[in-house]
Amino acid sequence: MASAASPTPAPADVAAAVAEAHRREWAFVLAATIRVAGDIDTAEEAVQDAYASALAIWGARGIPSNPGAWLTTTARRRALDVRRRDATARRALPKLVDPEPPPLDELADTGESIPDDRLALVFTCCHPALAAEARVALTLRLVCGLSTADVARAFLVPEATMAARITRAKQKITTAGIPYRVPSPDELGPRLESVLAVVHLVYTTGHTAPFGVELMRRDLAERGRELARLLRVLLPDDPDVAGLLALVVLTDARLDARLDDDGEVLLMEEQDRSRWNRRAIAEGAALVREALRARPPGRYALMAAIAAVHDESPSWSETDWVEILGLYDLLVDVWVSPVVRLNRAIALGFAEGPAEALAELDELAADPRLARYPYLSAARADALRRLGRSTEARLAYEEAQILTDNAAELAFLQRRVDSIDDPH
Amino acid sequence: MSKYLILIYQDDDAAQSEGETVNPAYREFMERRADSLLGGAALESPASGTSIRHDHDGRVVVTDGLFTESKEVIGGYFLVEAADLDEALAIASEVPAGAGVEVRPVRLVS
């Protein structure tokens, strides 16, 4: 065992240390355990057992100096025990990883000899052969260590539905032979896209909850942020990883200014910019510069560059809309999406005028994919309001209100309706 | 190593018999991937297919045509051996198929 920090720590300290290790070390411990267990379920059970026994053993013998190494060694020993015991029963099943189990003395207590398999775990969870919704669920469950109940809550589905989704995905990994390794350099590009999409979705889902009274599900956004940072540690030279982290950091920089004292959403133009986090903006801007060195720049780098223009602008009225419009022009080339076109139209409205924006927005209104998208109605309403077409603006705001489930956004739209001078 | 079946789909109207020589694109693929190929064949046109079902009393019912109605039909297959799904997908993505291919792991039974 690793050396004890103190002989008999207080139970509260032990619980805190275990919780902290769960938060910080879960992915490392599980990834290293899958390598010896050969399948995800055995590894998950072993890791859960290791965390459970940590509570008792650390309480009796002290908190180890390297909790992650202690947990990894314990979990790998358990997994190997299970694997040896069930050797005959399991021989018929295909293995995720099938080397000879390493001898026990290789499972050193120091942790220094344990390779970091977190990247392999991330790529396996985000494999394109898995359904997109399963990739997100597996990443939250296996990489972030969220309980199935929490993953279900995050995506507003019943726990049993989420449990079935995760089980099916794990079965596909085993039966289809999805490998447990980092893709080779020539496969890495397309495979990384799928990973970045999952992390971006986790972050944005947390950032703007589509439903309910709370605008930000801070925990989910936090997990997305941690995943983006983890990728940056594991793939420090990749420009798309730098771009995604830049986007996350530059969006987070405005987080504290997003709600007023009553919890109502403030548009960027209403926010108190002195509450934006200058240190985060500086970090994000440096990452954007690095990400934009790739040619052509990727979608996350461009979105981050747009966020950086906002973050570095001293006031709303001084926003460089021509620069933002130019970045959106590049973005629609690398990312064909009606939502990106909508955001470009909004930038066009500020760079050139509400009439130009409205023409573009009316064209987008014909796209069935945006038929129930509240931000399109809200953007049309805004353009109409600026053109002085009050009756139509009011109608468009009401349409946006019907389409949104988010209480904070509803309140914001109502303020906009109230601000329109009655035409009669 | 695992075995995978690559099912080759073609548009129904394109899936006509193409004569008795192997298409050069397929020949090139088969030579390049010879080490992984365990077997494979092109199938005759869907119109030549016959399906067998069992009725409520368990009697065999033979009908003309394919088992499932679909715009795309199976035009052929390869059986391959691969280390994992990634290798199988790399092989399958080189198949010069019309509509696309489906990759299915072969179940291991003892």
Side-chain angles (χ1 to χ4, degrees):
Chain A
M1 287 300 133
S3 62
S6 65
T8 48
D13 291 343
V14 173
V18 172
E20 170 81 0
H22 194 277
R23 186 88 192 200
R24 300 176 63 93
E25 312 278 1
W26 171 273
F28 185 94
V29 177
L30 180 65
T33 306
I34 291 174
R35 183 66 64 191
V36 299
D39 73 89
I40 293 173
D41 283 333
T42 306
E44 257 190 299
E45 275 167 43
V47 171
Q48 269 156 358
D49 282 355
Y51 275 97
S53 62
L55 270 180
I57 294 174
W58 296 1
R61 299 187 205 163
I63 298 163
S65 58
N66 187 340
W70 188 96
L71 287 160
T72 307
T73 305
T74 307
R76 292 189 355 150
R77 281 182 200 279
R78 276 175 199 271
L80 277 184
D81 286 347
V82 170
R83 199 171 165 178
R84 293 207 178 95
R85 198 179 59 223
D86 298 349
T88 354
R90 287 170 178 267
R91 192 164 292 146
L93 291 172
K95 284 284 177 216
L96 189 55
V97 185
D98 205 8
E100 282 300 298
L104 276 177
D105 55 6
E106 260 185 39
L107 302 179
D109 285 337
T110 60
E112 282 164 298
S113 65
I114 301 171
D116 186 349
D117 268 322
R118 286 177 296 181
L119 200 53
L121 181 60
V122 169
F123 275 105
T124 300
C125 290
C126 297
H127 197 284
L130 298 169
E133 54 183 21
R135 292 176 214 163
V136 180
L138 274 186
T139 302
L140 287 172
R141 175 79 197 94
L142 299 179
V143 183
C144 300
L146 257 62
S147 70
T148 302
D150 283 343
V151 181
R153 253 196 300 283
F155 289 92
L156 310 167
V157 300
E159 189 178 342
T161 309
M162 186 55 76
R165 187 181 294 172
I166 291 173
T167 302
R168 261 199 311 276
K170 286 197 280 196
Q171 273 165 357
K172 172 146 190 193
I173 290 173
T174 309
T175 45
I178 290 177
Y180 186 64
R181 61 172 156 72
V182 179
S184 63
D186 57 314
E187 317 169 284
L188 194 74
R191 293 285 307 276
L192 186 59
E193 258 175 52
S194 158
V195 172
L196 295 172
V198 165
V199 175
H200 186 232
L201 182 71
V202 169
Y203 178 74
T204 51
T205 304
H207 198 260
T208 321
F211 184 82
V213 292
E214 190 191 3
L215 182 69
M216 282 161 283
R217 261 176 281 180
R218 285 178 182 271
D219 188 53
L220 206 56
E222 180 71 34
R223 300 305 173 134
R225 190 175 303 137
E226 284 168 4
L227 283 168
R229 290 214 178 270
L230 175 64
L231 287 180
R232 173 74 176 166
V233 169
L234 298 173
L235 295 168
D237 301 322
D238 188 279
D240 292 326
V241 169
L244 178 63
L245 180 58
L247 178 59
V248 166
V249 167
L250 290 166
T251 309
D252 277 350
R254 297 192 294 259
L255 211 60
D256 287 341
R258 251 186 114 203
L259 299 182
D260 70 11
D261 296 338
D262 302 323
E264 291 196 17
V265 196
L266 295 172
L267 275 202
M268 204 190 294
E269 68 178 287
E270 304 170 311
Q271 291 175 11
D272 173 5
R273 294 186 180 217
S274 70
R275 293 177 69 190
W276 291 1
N277 183 336
R278 291 290 135 199
R279 219 166 51 109
I281 292 170
E283 184 198 356
L287 285 163
V288 168
R289 280 193 291 280
E290 188 185 325
L292 287 176
R293 273 185 222 131
R295 291 285 177 272
R299 68 159 80 160
Y300 301 109
L302 289 167
M303 286 196 285
I306 292 165
V309 175
H310 284 301
D311 284 10
E312 291 179 326
S313 177
S315 70
W316 175 256
S317 60
E318 288 166 90
T319 305
D320 187 347
W321 288 107
V322 175
E323 169 82 15
I324 288 177
L325 184 60
L327 289 164
Y328 271 117
D329 286 340
L330 293 172
L331 186 58
V332 289
D333 279 348
V334 296
W335 191 6
V336 183
S337 145
V339 174
V340 174
R341 282 190 63 198
L342 168 60
N343 287 324
R344 185 191 164 277
I346 293 169
L348 181 72
F350 289 113
E352 294 178 8
E356 284 79 0
L358 190 62
E360 185 74 14
L361 292 167
D362 283 343
E363 198 177 305
L364 281 170
D367 190 324
R369 287 171 297 178
L370 291 178
R372 299 196 53 76
Y373 196 62
Y375 299 111
L376 174 59
S377 305
R380 281 191 74 248
D382 225 45
L384 289 163
R385 181 180 59 86
R386 290 172 62 202
L387 288 167
R389 290 158 66 173
S390 307
T391 314
E392 292 162 273
R394 193 188 299 273
L395 267 175
Y397 278 124
E398 283 164 4
E399 188 177 292
Q401 284 182 307
I402 290 166
L403 294 175
T404 189
D405 286 329
N406 189 304
E409 284 174 0
L410 272 174
F412 164 76
L413 290 165
Q414 189 55 47
R415 289 203 303 280
R416 272 288 152 99
V417 174
D418 295 343
S419 79
I420 298 176
D421 292 330
D422 204 297
H424 303 296
Chain B
M1 297 294 274
S2 302
K3 293 186 179 69
Y4 294 86
L5 187 66
I6 301 173
L7 295 161
I8 303 165
Y9 282 85
Q10 298 174 322
D11 289 333
D12 191 2
D13 43 9
Q16 299 302 322
S17 176
E18 291 184 18
E20 285 170 18
T21 55
V22 177
N23 169 332
Y26 273 97
R27 182 183 300 281
E28 206 267 316
F29 164 76
M30 288 189 287
E31 281 164 6
R32 190 172 54 246
R33 290 297 193 173
D35 289 347
S36 306
L37 290 180
L38 300 174
L43 302 180
E44 289 288 3
S45 72
S48 62
T50 307
S51 300
I52 296 171
R53 284 185 170 79
H54 296 273
D55 70 8
H56 293 306
D57 303 319
R59 281 185 303 239
V60 166
V61 179
V62 174
T63 52
D64 172 48
L66 302 184
F67 202 83
T68 50
E69 289 284 331
S70 152
K71 207 170 82 61
E72 286 94 16
V73 298
I74 295 173
Y77 73 92
F78 287 109
L79 183 64
V80 302
E81 193 161 53
D84 53 45
L85 183 65
D86 281 356
E87 196 196 337
L89 294 178
I91 297 168
S93 60
E94 291 176 11
V95 172
V101 301
E102 176 180 320
V103 178
R104 296 278 298 272
V106 174
R107 182 176 289 175
L108 290 173
V109 286
S110 50

